């Protein structure tokens, strides 16, 4: 897929406006038409913030995914959704998200909902504006919230059951005209230090195989960001060189929150594919200035050429307050533009 020098992009999610946070916790008070209007309004807000930042690639901010369970697991038959958090008090962390019981054959006859989201994004975004991107969770990451049973005895069995559903969703997105798709597999990067990385690559490549070459494929490899906290061992060394065999056009790496540790790895990635560098720390309320961003872009150029570099936040912005997310994106684009003018 065609590369654009020093492209600016996003991972996918964006913070909800305050009113949407409230409404999403009280959906029972709204009718179907109210909710549809709310979804459009929220997407318009996220699109507008990204347009004003001047990004080359935008998403719908995942504004209609009111709850991760309802957004993906809610489309899958054979699951009893966990009714509440297993730990409701104490410091916020990943263990507050429980696992769902598998009660039957796993299938998603109506898809996973991403195509409807993309159609909304197409309808609401400017016709000649930035490229439009959709994000879909990969099967290994999705399997992490499901409890194995006799039919699906371990996480890999669950992954294999979910894989055809994700693959079908990717094919449907391409059929709908989606030019850029991110297959999110943060669980692979979180647990690659203790799992078989070649097996991960095989799972990923089989998932995306039908759409390779038909859309700009990306994957996002971070170390977790629920409530602004990481969950995995935050090193990329255990993933490479195997992950260089992922069939993607763009590989995204979390760098800013890790103080650009292992930045040299982007040089190896750039030999195979575009490398998206996380240059905005979504876990911090330090607002990177354009000059600060420009310095980091110049540092990246020591390892990879401009036409192979993409710049994004470290992760989705859903766990960052909107006021901070807006300014961080504006400054990210501004900093990249400083360096573009130097080329």
């Amino acid at each position: 897929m065609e590369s654009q020098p020093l492209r600016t992009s996003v991972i996918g999610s964006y913070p909800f406006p305050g009113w949407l946070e409230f409404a999403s916790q009280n959906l029972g008070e709204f009718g179907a038409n109210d909710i549809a209007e709310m979804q459009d309004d929220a997407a318009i807000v996220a699109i507008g913030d990204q347009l004003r930042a001047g990004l080359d690639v935008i998403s719908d901010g995942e504004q209609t995914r009111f709850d991760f369970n309802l957004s993906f697991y809610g489309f899958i038959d054979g699951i009893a959704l966990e009714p509440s958090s297993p730990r409701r008090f104490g410091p916020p962390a990943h263990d507050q998200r429980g696992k769902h019981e598998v009660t039957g054959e796993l299938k998603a006859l109506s898809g996973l909902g991403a195509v409807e989201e993309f159609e909304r994004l197409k309808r609401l975004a400017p016709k000649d504006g930035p490229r439009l991107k959709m994000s879909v969770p990969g099967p290994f990451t999705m399997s992490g919230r499901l409890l194995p049973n006799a039919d699906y005895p371990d996480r890999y069995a669950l992954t294999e059951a979910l894989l055809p559903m994700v693959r079908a969703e990717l094919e449907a997105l391409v059929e709908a005209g989606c030019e850029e798709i991110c297959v999110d597999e943060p669980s692979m990067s979180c647990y690659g230090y203790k799992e078989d990385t070649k097996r991960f690559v095989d799972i990923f490549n089989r998932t995306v195989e039908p759409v390779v070459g038909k859309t700009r494929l990306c994957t996002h490899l971070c170390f977790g960001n629920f409530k602004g906290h990481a969950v995995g061992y935050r090193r990329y060394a255990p993933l490479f060189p195997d992950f260089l065999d992922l069939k993607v056009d763009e590989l995204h790496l979390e760098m800013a929150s890790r103080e650009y540790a292992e930045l040299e790895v982007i040089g190896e990635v750039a030999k195979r594919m575009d490398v998206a560098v996380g240059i905005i720390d979504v876990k911090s309320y330090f607002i990177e200035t354009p000059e600060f961003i420009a310095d980091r872009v110049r540092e990246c150029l020591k390892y990879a050429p401009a036409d192979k570099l993409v710049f994004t936040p470290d992760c989705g912005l859903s766990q960052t307050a909107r006021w901070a997310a807006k300014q961080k994106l504006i400054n990210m684009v501004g900093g990249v533009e400083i360096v573009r003018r130097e080329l």
Side-chain angles (χ1 to χ4, degrees), residues 311-330:
F311 294 100
T312 71
D314 266 345
C315 194
L317 285 158
S318 66
Q319 307 296 295
T320 307
R322 185 177 166 216
W323 66 265
K326 283 196 292 186
Q327 195 61 55
K328 281 173 174 278
L329 287 182
I330 290 169

Side-chain angles (χ1 to χ4, degrees), residues 74-262:
F75 286 97
I76 302 175
D77 294 332
I79 294 175
L81 295 178
E82 186 212 16
S84 61
S85 170
R87 180 174 69 82
R88 302 177 66 182
F89 301 100
H94 287 74
D95 68 317
Q96 291 182 318
R97 297 190 300 179
K99 295 179 181 289
H100 311 301
E101 182 182 359
V102 177
T103 58
E105 181 184 359
L106 295 174
K107 52 188 176 180
L109 300 179
S110 300
L112 297 173
V115 175
E116 180 183 354
E117 293 174 340
F118 175 64
E119 294 291 355
R120 180 183 294 108
L121 176 59
K122 276 200 303 184
R123 174 167 53 83
L124 298 176
K127 300 306 178 189
D128 297 317
R131 286 173 65 94
L132 307 181
K133 178 179 185 178
M134 290 300 301
S135 296
V136 178
F140 185 73
T141 292
M142 287 191 70
S143 70
R145 299 285 306 281
L146 300 179
L147 289 168
N149 64 9
D151 295 320
Y152 306 101
D154 57 30
R155 183 166 184 175
Y156 285 104
L158 289 164
T159 297
E160 292 298 336
L162 294 167
L163 192 154
M165 304 176 205
V166 178
R167 181 194 289 152
E169 196 74 2
L170 299 179
E171 291 180 288
L173 280 169
V174 170
E175 182 68 24
C178 189
E179 295 181 323
E180 195 150 336
I181 303 173
C182 184
V183 181
D184 285 326
E185 278 288 13
S187 287
M188 289 187 176
S189 42
C190 284
Y191 304 115
Y193 73 96
K194 63 178 182 177
E195 297 286 343
D196 182 348
T197 49
K198 285 183 169 59
R199 189 174 189 178
F200 280 168
V201 170
D202 173 67
I203 290 168
F204 186 93
N205 287 346
R206 285 189 288 118
T207 302
V208 303
E209 185 177 13
V211 297
V212 171
K214 298 178 181 178
T215 184
R216 181 179 174 89
L217 271 175
C218 317
T219 192
H220 169 52
L221 302 174
C222 76
F223 300 102
N225 188 38
F226 183 66
K227 303 297 184 183
H229 293 283
V231 66
Y233 174 59
R234 301 198 306 159
R235 299 289 293 180
Y236 284 113
L239 308 183
F240 295 102
D242 290 343
F243 272 42
L244 294 176
D245 292 328
L246 292 172
K247 293 182 179 178
V248 292
D249 302 292
E250 177 182 310
L251 184 68
H252 176 270
L253 303 175
E254 177 183 348
M255 286 290 172
S257 74
R258 299 169 56 252
E259 304 297 334
Y260 297 88
E262 303 177 289

